[in-house]
């Protein structure tokens, strides 16, 4: 049977599936659920000792699925959270974020995490603590140090830094990323508090997530976790304001190809990278590839997603929203999908295909399978939508039915998507 184990930064994970910081890991009971389900690791929901928005009115709709247009497609959802403690509606749930009735003190949180660590021994699960959620500690060096020290005392294997301002805070809505202030400082300050491996979660709302990952490496991070969620501002044009409290962070399955691009460039960057607002402002310091472990966080729903992240050079992968949507049993499903694929391909371990992606050369394009549209005349009503949509004028109307001129079809699938009666399918050209 294929071996899914991962070793990075001196840590061992029985598989590459790590629950991302969030509601699935907000307290001991939810964390134990993840452990029991077989995840190789969990990142505990980020602690925060203060929150810029704590005093504001919380929302009762902690989590929302974005996509309220009539064209909303379920497989393109984005799951959001405001990050506000919904303390009015959830008085009685245990400590932790995502509905906690109050903000735990550092001592309480340390004890909660220590309990998770003790439980994890029974399930061979590696526990990572996350510091600085919402950038509450944005500029307070001493808090990063203090939290890192407390989490080491709690017995975690590593710490992850939620660097960069969250979209739920004022800075997150208005600020450009200053890598020295929001990435370099937390890494160095946390290092003062702990000898444990430090993973820097890379903010995506910066000039260059690839450059930020390289920057984190140079600032002393042991690994990077791209990326924190995208800052958003939703709009209600009738009310001429936001439709809900704070544009929350967004992520979703649509982000997988974007992450692939980021991973590839992180591993292969060989060009100068420009850091906006860095000390070298105005110059173009020489960048380079990220050589420390990379654990992507974003969009994972299937074994195929984790496989492609590993192929792009990722060491493991974090999963958050899919655990919420499907439940913790997603771990078993993804593991099985990975094992089936590895067995079929003859791979015994992740290293057999890690970083092995081969990007196509332009000269190979002619060997790619060509897709062609096929019209089912029985279903075609002659509405002409496909004729108007085709960018290559390959479709015309003949005897009241759509007709394809294969010489011009490039298989773009516009007609397939626009056809109201599903009269068009796509097939591989012979
Ligand atoms: C409700 C919710 C709460 C989250 N809370 C945190 C958090 O406390 N700290 C953190 O670093 N990331 C947090 N995240 C981000 C996730 O860890 C993850 O990076 C993001 O959701 C993208 O991964 P996914 O597509 O697998 O969900 C949260 C995400 C959601 C949906």
């Amino acid at each position: 049977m294929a071996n899914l184990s991962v070793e990075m930064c001196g840590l061992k994970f029985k598989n590459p599936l790590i629950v991302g910081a969030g509601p699935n890991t907000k307290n001991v009971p939810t964390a134990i659920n993840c452990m029991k389900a077989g995840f190789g690791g969990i990142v505990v929901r980020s602690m925060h000792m203060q929150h810029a928005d704590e005093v504001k009115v919380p929302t009762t709709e902690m989590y929302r699925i974005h996509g309220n247009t009539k064209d909303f497609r379920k497989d393109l959802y984005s799951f959001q959270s405001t990050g506000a403690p919904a303390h009015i509606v959830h008085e009685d749930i245990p400590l932790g974020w995502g509905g906690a009735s109050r903000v735990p003190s550092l001592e309480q949180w340390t004890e909660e995490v220590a309990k998770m660590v003790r439980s994890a021994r029974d399930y061979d699960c590696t526990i990572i603590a996350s510091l600085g959620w919402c950038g509450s500690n944005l500029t307070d060096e001493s808090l990063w140090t203090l939290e890192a020290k407390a989490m080491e005392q709690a017995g975690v294997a590593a710490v992850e830094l939620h660097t960069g301002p969250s979209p739920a805070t004022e800075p997150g809505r208005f600020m450009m990323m200053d890598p020295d202030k929001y990435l370099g400082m937390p890494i160095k300050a946390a290092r003062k508090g702990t000898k444990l491996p430090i993973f820097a979660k890379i903010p995506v709302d910066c000039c260059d997530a690839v450059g930020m990952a390289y920057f984190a490496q140079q600032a002393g991070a042991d690994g990077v976790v791209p990326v924190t969620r995208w800052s958003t501002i939703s709009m209600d044009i009738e009310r001429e304001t936001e439709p809900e409290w704070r544009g929350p962070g967004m992520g979703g399955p649509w982000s997988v190809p974007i992450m692939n691009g980021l991973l590839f460039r992180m591993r292969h960057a060989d060009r100068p990278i420009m850091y906006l607002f860095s000390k070298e402002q105005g110059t173009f310091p020489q960048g380079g590839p990220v050589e420390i472990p990379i654990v992507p966080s974003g969009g994972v729903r299937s074994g195929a997603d984790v496989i492609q992240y590993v192929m792009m050079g990722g060491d493991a992968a974090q999963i958050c929203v899919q655990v919420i949507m499907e439940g913790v049993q997603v771990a078993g499903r993804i593991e099985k999908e990975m094992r089936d694929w590895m067995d079929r391909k003859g791979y015994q371990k992740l290293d057999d295909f890690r970083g092995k992606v081969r990007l196509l050369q332009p000269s190979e394009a002619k060997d790619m399978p060509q897709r062609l549209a096929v019209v089912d005349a029985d279903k075609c009503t002659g509405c002409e939508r496909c004729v108007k949509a085709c960018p290559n004028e390959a479709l015309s109307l003949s005897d009241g039915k759509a007709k394809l001129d294969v010489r011009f079809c490039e298989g773009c699938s516009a007609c397939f998507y626009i056809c109201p009666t599903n009269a068009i399918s796509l097939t591989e050209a012979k």
Side-chain angles (χ1 to χ4, degrees):
M1 198 164 60
N3 175 358
L4 296 184
S5 66
V6 174
E7 279 193 51
M8 57 177 165
C9 307
L11 308 174
K12 289 193 174 145
F13 299 79
K14 67 183 169 207
N15 63 45
L17 312 179
I18 302 174
V19 186
N24 308 301
T25 58
K26 68 186 175 199
N27 54 29
V28 171
T30 54
I32 290 181
N33 276 346
C34 295
M35 296 174 202
K36 278 187 183 159
F39 283 96
I42 67 170
V43 184
V44 181
R45 182 140 206 202
S46 309
M47 66 183 335
H48 70 139
M49 291 166 65
Q50 280 175 325
H51 188 313
D53 303 297
E54 245 156 48
V55 291
K56 299 210 171 123
V57 180
T59 174
T60 51
E61 291 174 63
M62 180 73 181
Y63 313 124
R64 283 184 289 263
I65 294 174
H66 191 82
N68 52 356
T69 69
K70 67 177 172 45
D71 300 321
F72 169 53
R73 285 187 44 204
K74 280 191 169 165
D75 58 344
L76 288 178
Y77 65 83
S78 273
F79 201 67
Q80 311 176 309
S81 88
T82 64
H87 55 261
I88 292 173
V89 282
H90 299 294
E91 285 291 351
D92 54 351
I93 75 162
L95 278 182
W97 279 102
S101 56
R102 61 204 154 88
V103 183
S105 68
L106 184 59
E107 292 69 29
Q108 287 169 317
W109 191 240
T110 307
E111 183 44 34
E112 189 80 356
V113 176
K115 280 187 206 153
M116 292 183 200
V117 171
R118 288 195 288 275
S119 305
R121 291 184 199 127
D122 296 337
Y123 301 103
D124 187 16
C125 182
T126 301
I127 309 290
I128 301 169
S130 171
L131 319 179
W133 175 63
C134 282
S136 52
N137 306 339
L138 273 183
T139 49
D140 189 338
E141 231 178 297
S142 63
L143 281 183
W144 289 100
T145 308
L146 195 68
E147 290 183 355
K149 199 171 180 178
M151 289 302 105
E152 183 171 319
Q153 277 162 6
V156 299
V159 293
E160 182 179 293
L161 311 180
H162 192 311
T163 62
S166 151
T169 61
E170 289 305 315
R173 290 154 69 86
F174 297 112
M175 198 185 276
M176 292 287 288
M177 264 302 283
D178 172 342
D180 285 315
K181 199 167 166 190
Y182 298 114
L183 204 48
M185 183 277 278
I187 292 169
K188 287 172 188 150
R191 176 56 72 223
K192 281 189 207 156
T194 181
K195 291 194 171 51
L196 295 174
I198 294 175
F199 288 84
K201 201 164 185 181
I202 301 299
V204 71
D205 297 303
C206 54
C207 52
D208 176 6
V210 177
M212 290 291 166
Y214 179 74
F215 185 95
Q217 170 178 273
Q218 302 310 96
D222 300 289
V224 290
V225 178
V227 291
T228 54
R229 283 173 301 159
W230 301 74
S231 297
T232 60
I233 297 181
S234 306
M235 195 59 205
D236 177 338
I237 59 168
E238 292 311 318
R239 291 172 59 214
E240 302 184 26
T241 184
E242 295 168 86
E244 55 217 0
W245 184 84
R246 287 290 147 100
M250 279 180 72
W254 49 267
S255 61
V256 170
I258 299 175
M259 181 69 80
N260 278 341
L262 291 177
L263 288 174
F264 185 81
R265 297 205 308 279
M266 281 176 193
R267 285 302 188 211
H268 297 277
D270 57 357
R271 298 175 191 188
I273 293 168
M274 188 178 92
Y275 307 127
L276 268 186
F277 301 122
S278 75
K279 280 201 186 102
E280 298 91 348
Q281 191 176 10
T283 68
F284 292 83
Q286 188 68 40
V290 176
E291 284 158 350
I292 54 179
I294 306 180
V295 184
S297 173
V300 170
R301 287 192 300 175
S302 65
D305 293 332
V306 181
I307 289 165
Q308 51 190 296
Y309 284 173
V310 174
M311 255 188 207
M312 289 286 164
D315 288 78
Q318 293 191 6
I319 310 166
C320 176
V321 162
Q322 194 59 27
V323 183
I324 299 172
M325 305 291 264
E326 184 177 336
V328 289
Q329 65 274 14
V330 64
R333 175 177 67 77
I334 292 184
E335 247 196 75
K336 180 172 178 331
E337 288 169 3
M338 291 187 72
R339 285 220 164 85
D340 287 350
W341 179 86
M342 287 170 71
D343 288 346
R344 186 158 53 77
K345 302 285 273 187
Y347 291 133
Q348 268 138 38
K349 52 187 189 315
L350 300 182
D351 278 345
D352 292 348
F353 61 95
R354 192 187 310 286
K356 297 272 167 65
V357 61
R358 189 179 70 83
L359 299 191
L360 291 171
Q361 299 301 312
S363 60
E364 293 175 88
K366 63 177 173 28
D367 301 325
M368 299 294 292
Q370 167 77 43
R371 289 188 308 169
L372 288 179
V374 178
V375 182
D376 179 341
D378 290 341
K379 289 188 187 165
C380 177
T381 59
C383 73
E384 265 188 301
R385 285 198 206 176
C386 60
V387 175
K388 288 181 190 140
C390 179
N392 294 330
E393 286 151 40
L395 284 154
S396 57
L397 210 63
S398 170
D399 294 333
K401 304 281 179 185
K403 190 175 166 221
L404 183 83
D405 184 336
V406 289
R407 291 173 306 161
F408 301 119
C409 177
E410 61 171 15
C412 74
S413 66
C415 54
F416 168 79
Y417 283 106
I418 204 86
C419 178
T421 59
N422 295 327
I424 298 183
S425 54
L426 293 164
T427 185
E428 250 178 46
K430 300 282 178 306

